[in-house]
Amino acid sequence: MILDDFVSFDEKGLYCKYGDFYIDPQLPVKTAVISHAHADHAISGNNNVYCTRATASIMQLRYDRTAAKVFNIAAFNQPFEVGRVTVTLIPAGHMLGSAQILMEYDGARYLYTGDYKLQPDATCEPIEWVTTDVLITESTFANPAVIHPDPVSEIRKINDIKSNILLGAYALGKSQRLINLITEHAPQKKILVHHKIMPINAIYEKMGFPPGKYQIYGRKLMKVQDEFVYIVPPFTFDSYIRATGVKRLFASGWKNLQVNNQDTLFISDHVDWNDILQTIANTKPKQVWTLHGKGEYLKAYFKDDIFVKILN
Ligand SMILES: [Zn+2]
Ligand SMILES: [Zn+2]
């Protein structure tokens, strides 16, 4: 039986009272199940954290001793109990170690997607499919107007740019995916990375997902035009606003994060409208609960076919 109150939001985040745990809490809690290491999902200071090994490694890098009191490392597809709920982490394809959280209780299955993507990405475990009674999906881009272009044709655009490139990207996940895409599809480019990205690359390498060919940025490099692509986190990117002799690009699924209307690089690590419909077809839910975005379009689209509840 599907329980309407299986999970609900309170001031600390999304709470499952049947297992007495939070999913990706926003404030420190006693017990947390964490989908992936991005900072809006994985905060420091929780007591008891259940997550994948890669998520724990990245949290330890970021937060050091405050990362968690106890990490309970879960392998993908290996069920474990939290309170009265059976939890299984399923690859989400969003970044290294990212997991969907399957929760089983009282004969019903609830699948929390976390952030996820369907596009191929050699820098993380590909998404895997399980069926569910309730799909609890992020809906960042759950709008029929949002269709992400093919990332390979997007990255190939940089082959036409002969000047050095300053490429803004989030340090965790996106930077490694870009290194991989450039290594594969623009191999003549020389990739330089900001020092803040290096320790994350090291974790990817240790976990068996080397991003590609790159070197750490140094001041003397890029003095000449030599097809350099310098990958920097958003803060550094913004501080180089008046940089000369470089083409500035920012890689994101968001229109408003692009440099301007001409210089775009639409590479997203989230599902678009078609991907969400594909996910619903693959997971066969009886109900869809939405969070992180707009659920209205899905509600209208599925009208009488699937019950859609907007969680926030
Ligand atoms: Zn994320
Ligand atoms: Zn997120």
Side-chain angles (χ1 to χ4, degrees), residues 14 16 45 49 61 66 76 80 86 120 139 156 158-159 176 189 197 204 209 226 240 280 289 293 303:
L14 190 60
C16 175
V49 169
L61 170 70
T66 64
F76 285 122
F80 55 94
T86 304
S139 49
R156 283 196 176 134
I158 71 168
N159 285 315
Q176 292 72 37
K189 298 285 182 193
I197 298 171
Y204 272 64
F209 288 83
D226 197 13
Y240 275 104
I280 293 170
W289 299 354
K303 262 183 298 219

PDB file of all heavy atoms in Angstrom, residues 14 16 45 49 61 66 76 80 86 120 139 156 158-159 176 189 197 204 209 226 240 280 289 293 303:
ATOM      1  N   LEU A  14      13.835  16.523   3.643  1.00  0.00           N
ATOM      2  CA  LEU A  14      12.888  15.457   3.312  1.00  0.00           C
ATOM      3  C   LEU A  14      13.053  14.312   4.314  1.00  0.00           C
ATOM      4  O   LEU A  14      14.119  13.705   4.412  1.00  0.00           O
ATOM      5  CB  LEU A  14      13.165  14.978   1.882  1.00  0.00           C
ATOM      6  CG  LEU A  14      12.143  14.042   1.250  1.00  0.00           C
ATOM      7  CD1 LEU A  14      10.760  14.689   1.160  1.00  0.00           C
ATOM      8  CD2 LEU A  14      12.611  13.603  -0.145  1.00  0.00           C
ATOM      9  N   CYS A  16      11.718  10.683   6.260  1.00  0.00           N
ATOM     10  CA  CYS A  16      10.938   9.442   6.207  1.00  0.00           C
ATOM     11  C   CYS A  16      10.714   8.973   7.633  1.00  0.00           C
ATOM     12  O   CYS A  16      11.641   8.494   8.294  1.00  0.00           O
ATOM     13  CB  CYS A  16      11.692   8.378   5.412  1.00  0.00           C
ATOM     14  SG  CYS A  16      10.846   6.787   5.451  1.00  0.00           S
ATOM     15  N   GLY A  45      28.263  17.637   9.131  1.00  0.00           N
ATOM     16  CA  GLY A  45      27.726  17.683  10.492  1.00  0.00           C
ATOM     17  C   GLY A  45      26.654  16.662  10.821  1.00  0.00           C
ATOM     18  O   GLY A  45      26.133  16.677  11.934  1.00  0.00           O
ATOM     19  N   VAL A  49      25.714   8.737   8.415  1.00  0.00           N
ATOM     20  CA  VAL A  49      25.429   8.958   6.992  1.00  0.00           C
ATOM     21  C   VAL A  49      25.529   7.644   6.232  1.00  0.00           C
ATOM     22  O   VAL A  49      26.497   6.901   6.374  1.00  0.00           O
ATOM     23  CB  VAL A  49      26.409  10.000   6.383  1.00  0.00           C
ATOM     24  CG1 VAL A  49      26.303  10.043   4.865  1.00  0.00           C
ATOM     25  CG2 VAL A  49      26.159  11.381   6.977  1.00  0.00           C
ATOM     26  N   LEU A  61      36.859  14.922   1.648  1.00  0.00           N
ATOM     27  CA  LEU A  61      37.752  15.926   1.049  1.00  0.00           C
ATOM     28  C   LEU A  61      37.244  17.341   1.343  1.00  0.00           C
ATOM     29  O   LEU A  61      38.010  18.223   1.722  1.00  0.00           O
ATOM     30  CB  LEU A  61      37.824  15.690  -0.469  1.00  0.00           C
ATOM     31  CG  LEU A  61      38.516  16.766  -1.303  1.00  0.00           C
ATOM     32  CD1 LEU A  61      40.015  16.771  -1.036  1.00  0.00           C
ATOM     33  CD2 LEU A  61      38.245  16.570  -2.799  1.00  0.00           C
ATOM     34  N   THR A  66      34.474  17.151   9.920  1.00  0.00           N
ATOM     35  CA  THR A  66      33.058  17.414  10.187  1.00  0.00           C
ATOM     36  C   THR A  66      32.146  16.721   9.159  1.00  0.00           C
ATOM     37  O   THR A  66      30.933  16.931   9.165  1.00  0.00           O
ATOM     38  CB  THR A  66      32.753  18.922  10.175  1.00  0.00           C
ATOM     39  OG1 THR A  66      32.993  19.430   8.855  1.00  0.00           O
ATOM     40  CG2 THR A  66      33.614  19.673  11.162  1.00  0.00           C
ATOM     41  N   PHE A  76      26.356  -0.201  -4.436  1.00  0.00           N
ATOM     42  CA  PHE A  76      25.172  -0.153  -5.291  1.00  0.00           C
ATOM     43  C   PHE A  76      24.467  -1.513  -5.295  1.00  0.00           C
ATOM     44  O   PHE A  76      25.111  -2.564  -5.277  1.00  0.00           O
ATOM     45  CB  PHE A  76      25.569   0.206  -6.732  1.00  0.00           C
ATOM     46  CG  PHE A  76      25.920   1.660  -6.912  1.00  0.00           C
ATOM     47  CD1 PHE A  76      27.168   2.037  -7.387  1.00  0.00           C
ATOM     48  CD2 PHE A  76      24.983   2.650  -6.640  1.00  0.00           C
ATOM     49  CE1 PHE A  76      27.487   3.382  -7.572  1.00  0.00           C
ATOM     50  CE2 PHE A  76      25.289   4.004  -6.828  1.00  0.00           C
ATOM     51  CZ  PHE A  76      26.547   4.365  -7.290  1.00  0.00           C
ATOM     52  N   PHE A  80      19.978  -2.566   2.457  1.00  0.00           N
ATOM     53  CA  PHE A  80      20.290  -2.496   3.885  1.00  0.00           C
ATOM     54  C   PHE A  80      19.080  -1.888   4.598  1.00  0.00           C
ATOM     55  O   PHE A  80      18.201  -1.310   3.953  1.00  0.00           O
ATOM     56  CB  PHE A  80      21.573  -1.686   4.134  1.00  0.00           C
ATOM     57  CG  PHE A  80      21.562  -0.293   3.546  1.00  0.00           C
ATOM     58  CD1 PHE A  80      21.179   0.810   4.308  1.00  0.00           C
ATOM     59  CD2 PHE A  80      21.940  -0.075   2.218  1.00  0.00           C
ATOM     60  CE1 PHE A  80      21.175   2.097   3.772  1.00  0.00           C
ATOM     61  CE2 PHE A  80      21.924   1.217   1.668  1.00  0.00           C
ATOM     62  CZ  PHE A  80      21.548   2.302   2.447  1.00  0.00           C
ATOM     63  N   THR A  86      13.719  -0.801   4.069  1.00  0.00           N
ATOM     64  CA  THR A  86      14.819  -1.408   3.323  1.00  0.00           C
ATOM     65  C   THR A  86      15.251  -0.425   2.238  1.00  0.00           C
ATOM     66  O   THR A  86      14.430   0.009   1.430  1.00  0.00           O
ATOM     67  CB  THR A  86      14.377  -2.735   2.677  1.00  0.00           C
ATOM     68  OG1 THR A  86      13.877  -3.585   3.717  1.00  0.00           O
ATOM     69  CG2 THR A  86      15.525  -3.417   1.964  1.00  0.00           C
ATOM     70  N   PRO A 120      24.915   9.597 -21.869  1.00  0.00           N
ATOM     71  CA  PRO A 120      26.114   8.854 -21.504  1.00  0.00           C
ATOM     72  C   PRO A 120      27.164   9.771 -20.882  1.00  0.00           C
ATOM     73  O   PRO A 120      27.275  10.940 -21.257  1.00  0.00           O
ATOM     74  CB  PRO A 120      26.618   8.280 -22.837  1.00  0.00           C
ATOM     75  CG  PRO A 120      25.735   8.788 -23.903  1.00  0.00           C
ATOM     76  CD  PRO A 120      24.650   9.611 -23.302  1.00  0.00           C
ATOM     77  N   SER A 139      12.736  17.770 -10.476  1.00  0.00           N
ATOM     78  CA  SER A 139      12.054  18.305 -11.658  1.00  0.00           C
ATOM     79  C   SER A 139      12.657  19.661 -12.047  1.00  0.00           C
ATOM     80  O   SER A 139      11.952  20.565 -12.475  1.00  0.00           O
ATOM     81  CB  SER A 139      10.559  18.407 -11.394  1.00  0.00           C
ATOM     82  OG  SER A 139      10.303  19.042 -10.158  1.00  0.00           O
ATOM     83  N   ARG A 156      31.960  19.681 -29.494  1.00  0.00           N
ATOM     84  CA  ARG A 156      32.692  19.793 -30.773  1.00  0.00           C
ATOM     85  C   ARG A 156      32.745  21.232 -31.274  1.00  0.00           C
ATOM     86  O   ARG A 156      33.598  21.573 -32.099  1.00  0.00           O
ATOM     87  CB  ARG A 156      32.061  18.886 -31.832  1.00  0.00           C
ATOM     88  CG  ARG A 156      32.442  17.432 -31.635  1.00  0.00           C
ATOM     89  CD  ARG A 156      32.161  16.573 -32.866  1.00  0.00           C
ATOM     90  NE  ARG A 156      32.628  15.215 -32.644  1.00  0.00           N
ATOM     91  CZ  ARG A 156      31.936  14.119 -32.926  1.00  0.00           C
ATOM     92  NH1 ARG A 156      30.722  14.220 -33.469  1.00  0.00           N
ATOM     93  NH2 ARG A 156      32.440  12.928 -32.681  1.00  0.00           N
ATOM     94  N   ILE A 158      33.902  23.648 -29.804  1.00  0.00           N
ATOM     95  CA  ILE A 158      35.161  24.297 -29.427  1.00  0.00           C
ATOM     96  C   ILE A 158      36.282  24.015 -30.430  1.00  0.00           C
ATOM     97  O   ILE A 158      37.290  24.702 -30.436  1.00  0.00           O
ATOM     98  CB  ILE A 158      35.631  23.956 -27.984  1.00  0.00           C
ATOM     99  CG1 ILE A 158      36.108  22.507 -27.865  1.00  0.00           C
ATOM    100  CG2 ILE A 158      34.546  24.282 -26.951  1.00  0.00           C
ATOM    101  CD1 ILE A 158      36.849  22.239 -26.552  1.00  0.00           C
ATOM    102  N   ASN A 159      36.077  23.021 -31.303  1.00  0.00           N
ATOM    103  CA  ASN A 159      37.073  22.770 -32.350  1.00  0.00           C
ATOM    104  C   ASN A 159      37.202  23.954 -33.306  1.00  0.00           C
ATOM    105  O   ASN A 159      38.234  24.139 -33.932  1.00  0.00           O
ATOM    106  CB  ASN A 159      36.708  21.502 -33.132  1.00  0.00           C
ATOM    107  CG  ASN A 159      37.020  20.247 -32.324  1.00  0.00           C
ATOM    108  OD1 ASN A 159      38.081  20.133 -31.719  1.00  0.00           O
ATOM    109  ND2 ASN A 159      36.071  19.311 -32.286  1.00  0.00           N
ATOM    110  N   GLN A 176      35.034  17.187 -14.516  1.00  0.00           N
ATOM    111  CA  GLN A 176      35.573  15.884 -14.937  1.00  0.00           C
ATOM    112  C   GLN A 176      34.904  15.418 -16.229  1.00  0.00           C
ATOM    113  O   GLN A 176      35.546  14.868 -17.110  1.00  0.00           O
ATOM    114  CB  GLN A 176      35.391  14.843 -13.826  1.00  0.00           C
ATOM    115  CG  GLN A 176      36.238  15.103 -12.586  1.00  0.00           C
ATOM    116  CD  GLN A 176      35.733  16.289 -11.774  1.00  0.00           C
ATOM    117  OE1 GLN A 176      34.524  16.505 -11.660  1.00  0.00           O
ATOM    118  NE2 GLN A 176      36.633  17.061 -11.207  1.00  0.00           N
ATOM    119  N   LYS A 189      43.150  19.920 -28.264  1.00  0.00           N
ATOM    120  CA  LYS A 189      43.144  20.944 -27.212  1.00  0.00           C
ATOM    121  C   LYS A 189      44.036  20.510 -26.048  1.00  0.00           C
ATOM    122  O   LYS A 189      44.122  19.308 -25.728  1.00  0.00           O
ATOM    123  CB  LYS A 189      41.709  21.160 -26.695  1.00  0.00           C
ATOM    124  CG  LYS A 189      40.735  21.662 -27.753  1.00  0.00           C
ATOM    125  CD  LYS A 189      40.968  23.118 -28.060  1.00  0.00           C
ATOM    126  CE  LYS A 189      39.965  23.633 -29.086  1.00  0.00           C
ATOM    127  NZ  LYS A 189      40.369  24.946 -29.631  1.00  0.00           N
ATOM    128  N   ILE A 197      40.360  21.922  -8.651  1.00  0.00           N
ATOM    129  CA  ILE A 197      39.740  20.763  -9.310  1.00  0.00           C
ATOM    130  C   ILE A 197      40.625  19.514  -9.170  1.00  0.00           C
ATOM    131  O   ILE A 197      40.135  18.386  -9.224  1.00  0.00           O
ATOM    132  CB  ILE A 197      39.448  21.112 -10.790  1.00  0.00           C
ATOM    133  CG1 ILE A 197      38.440  22.275 -10.858  1.00  0.00           C
ATOM    134  CG2 ILE A 197      38.932  19.919 -11.573  1.00  0.00           C
ATOM    135  CD1 ILE A 197      38.223  22.869 -12.247  1.00  0.00           C
ATOM    136  N   TYR A 204      38.442  10.712  -8.549  1.00  0.00           N
ATOM    137  CA  TYR A 204      37.902  10.014  -9.725  1.00  0.00           C
ATOM    138  C   TYR A 204      38.892   8.945 -10.207  1.00  0.00           C
ATOM    139  O   TYR A 204      38.504   7.830 -10.563  1.00  0.00           O
ATOM    140  CB  TYR A 204      37.609  11.012 -10.855  1.00  0.00           C
ATOM    141  CG  TYR A 204      36.226  11.635 -10.790  1.00  0.00           C
ATOM    142  CD1 TYR A 204      35.842  12.452  -9.727  1.00  0.00           C
ATOM    143  CD2 TYR A 204      35.289  11.392 -11.795  1.00  0.00           C
ATOM    144  CE1 TYR A 204      34.580  13.018  -9.668  1.00  0.00           C
ATOM    145  CE2 TYR A 204      34.011  11.952 -11.745  1.00  0.00           C
ATOM    146  CZ  TYR A 204      33.667  12.767 -10.696  1.00  0.00           C
ATOM    147  OH  TYR A 204      32.411  13.312 -10.641  1.00  0.00           O
ATOM    148  N   PHE A 209      37.711   5.948 -12.453  1.00  0.00           N
ATOM    149  CA  PHE A 209      37.076   6.765 -13.499  1.00  0.00           C
ATOM    150  C   PHE A 209      37.979   7.950 -13.874  1.00  0.00           C
ATOM    151  O   PHE A 209      37.634   9.108 -13.632  1.00  0.00           O
ATOM    152  CB  PHE A 209      35.712   7.274 -13.014  1.00  0.00           C
ATOM    153  CG  PHE A 209      34.656   6.209 -12.927  1.00  0.00           C
ATOM    154  CD1 PHE A 209      34.569   5.392 -11.796  1.00  0.00           C
ATOM    155  CD2 PHE A 209      33.749   6.008 -13.961  1.00  0.00           C
ATOM    156  CE1 PHE A 209      33.598   4.391 -11.709  1.00  0.00           C
ATOM    157  CE2 PHE A 209      32.783   5.017 -13.879  1.00  0.00           C
ATOM    158  CZ  PHE A 209      32.701   4.203 -12.751  1.00  0.00           C
ATOM    159  N   ASP A 226      47.785  28.563 -27.878  1.00  0.00           N
ATOM    160  CA  ASP A 226      48.184  27.206 -28.240  1.00  0.00           C
ATOM    161  C   ASP A 226      47.044  26.219 -27.978  1.00  0.00           C
ATOM    162  O   ASP A 226      47.269  25.126 -27.448  1.00  0.00           O
ATOM    163  CB  ASP A 226      49.459  26.835 -27.452  1.00  0.00           C
ATOM    164  CG  ASP A 226      50.179  25.642 -28.051  1.00  0.00           C
ATOM    165  OD1 ASP A 226      49.853  25.258 -29.200  1.00  0.00           O
ATOM    166  OD2 ASP A 226      51.055  25.069 -27.380  1.00  0.00           O
ATOM    167  N   TYR A 240      37.501  36.650 -13.938  1.00  0.00           N
ATOM    168  CA  TYR A 240      38.233  36.864 -15.187  1.00  0.00           C
ATOM    169  C   TYR A 240      37.368  37.553 -16.241  1.00  0.00           C
ATOM    170  O   TYR A 240      37.558  37.349 -17.431  1.00  0.00           O
ATOM    171  CB  TYR A 240      38.695  35.533 -15.782  1.00  0.00           C
ATOM    172  CG  TYR A 240      39.998  35.001 -15.246  1.00  0.00           C
ATOM    173  CD1 TYR A 240      40.021  33.953 -14.341  1.00  0.00           C
ATOM    174  CD2 TYR A 240      41.216  35.530 -15.682  1.00  0.00           C
ATOM    175  CE1 TYR A 240      41.215  33.429 -13.868  1.00  0.00           C
ATOM    176  CE2 TYR A 240      42.416  35.009 -15.222  1.00  0.00           C
ATOM    177  CZ  TYR A 240      42.404  33.966 -14.312  1.00  0.00           C
ATOM    178  OH  TYR A 240      43.591  33.446 -13.859  1.00  0.00           O
ATOM    179  N   ILE A 280       9.860   7.787 -16.467  1.00  0.00           N
ATOM    180  CA  ILE A 280       8.538   7.334 -16.002  1.00  0.00           C
ATOM    181  C   ILE A 280       8.134   6.064 -16.762  1.00  0.00           C
ATOM    182  O   ILE A 280       7.621   5.111 -16.165  1.00  0.00           O
ATOM    183  CB  ILE A 280       7.505   8.475 -16.138  1.00  0.00           C
ATOM    184  CG1 ILE A 280       7.865   9.599 -15.139  1.00  0.00           C
ATOM    185  CG2 ILE A 280       6.079   7.959 -15.914  1.00  0.00           C
ATOM    186  CD1 ILE A 280       7.088  10.887 -15.304  1.00  0.00           C
ATOM    187  N   TRP A 289       5.904  11.812  -7.478  1.00  0.00           N
ATOM    188  CA  TRP A 289       5.993  12.960  -6.557  1.00  0.00           C
ATOM    189  C   TRP A 289       7.175  13.795  -7.024  1.00  0.00           C
ATOM    190  O   TRP A 289       8.259  13.266  -7.257  1.00  0.00           O
ATOM    191  CB  TRP A 289       6.208  12.488  -5.110  1.00  0.00           C
ATOM    192  CG  TRP A 289       5.089  11.616  -4.579  1.00  0.00           C
ATOM    193  CD1 TRP A 289       3.897  11.317  -5.192  1.00  0.00           C
ATOM    194  CD2 TRP A 289       5.071  10.910  -3.325  1.00  0.00           C
ATOM    195  NE1 TRP A 289       3.136  10.489  -4.405  1.00  0.00           N
ATOM    196  CE2 TRP A 289       3.829  10.226  -3.246  1.00  0.00           C
ATOM    197  CE3 TRP A 289       5.968  10.801  -2.260  1.00  0.00           C
ATOM    198  CZ2 TRP A 289       3.490   9.436  -2.143  1.00  0.00           C
ATOM    199  CZ3 TRP A 289       5.629  10.019  -1.162  1.00  0.00           C
ATOM    200  CH2 TRP A 289       4.397   9.354  -1.111  1.00  0.00           C
ATOM    201  N   GLY A 293      11.819  21.921  -8.286  1.00  0.00           N
ATOM    202  CA  GLY A 293      11.487  22.478  -9.593  1.00  0.00           C
ATOM    203  C   GLY A 293      10.010  22.570  -9.817  1.00  0.00           C
ATOM    204  O   GLY A 293       9.234  22.759  -8.878  1.00  0.00           O
ATOM    205  N   LYS A 303      -2.407  14.032 -16.396  1.00  0.00           N
ATOM    206  CA  LYS A 303      -3.809  14.199 -15.956  1.00  0.00           C
ATOM    207  C   LYS A 303      -4.412  13.000 -15.222  1.00  0.00           C
ATOM    208  O   LYS A 303      -4.249  12.869 -14.024  1.00  0.00           O
ATOM    209  CB  LYS A 303      -4.686  14.558 -17.162  1.00  0.00           C
ATOM    210  CG  LYS A 303      -4.946  16.061 -17.264  1.00  0.00           C
ATOM    211  CD  LYS A 303      -5.885  16.379 -18.433  1.00  0.00           C
ATOM    212  CE  LYS A 303      -5.242  15.965 -19.713  1.00  0.00           C
ATOM    213  NZ  LYS A 303      -5.347  16.735 -20.881  1.00  0.00           N
TER     214      LYS A 303
END
